[in-house]
Amino acid sequence: MTQEFIANMLGGRRESVTVAAGRLQDAGLIHYARGHIRIVNRQGLEAAVCECYQIVKTEGERLFGDRGQVR
């Protein structure tokens, strides 16, 4: 998944994705290289995001059951 692709999905700029990915990587939450993102610390990543993640996760599970779970 390229930074350009992520930026297009989010409606932002590639440079913003570069900065965000770098900060998450510096914090030890993800490893990002050559279009591959690996979550290193899921609990830390979930703690770092806004309440939006839990809202989307809960709604997905409500609508789709097991198929809606964010992994």
Side-chain angles (χ1 to χ4, degrees):
M1 189 177 292
T2 65
Q3 293 175 348
E4 185 72 30
F5 181 75
I6 294 170
N8 287 334
M9 283 193 325
L10 298 174
R13 297 179 32 207
R14 184 191 56 76
E15 293 83 3
S16 300
V17 173
T18 302
V19 170
R23 288 182 180 168
L24 292 171
Q25 186 160 261
D26 290 344
L29 302 174
I30 67 168
H31 177 72
Y32 187 84
R34 298 182 183 218
H36 292 88
I37 301 170
R38 181 171 47 93
I39 297 172
V40 176
N41 179 348
R42 183 179 178 132
Q43 288 180 329
L45 187 60
E46 287 182 19
V49 299
C50 68
E51 67 279 356
C52 311
Y53 172 78
Q54 188 59 48
I55 293 168
V56 170
K57 181 179 176 187
T58 301
E59 188 64 8
E61 289 170 353
R62 183 184 74 78
L63 292 171
F64 303 109
D66 287 343
R67 295 179 323 179
Q69 290 182 350
V70 177
R71 299 194 198 292

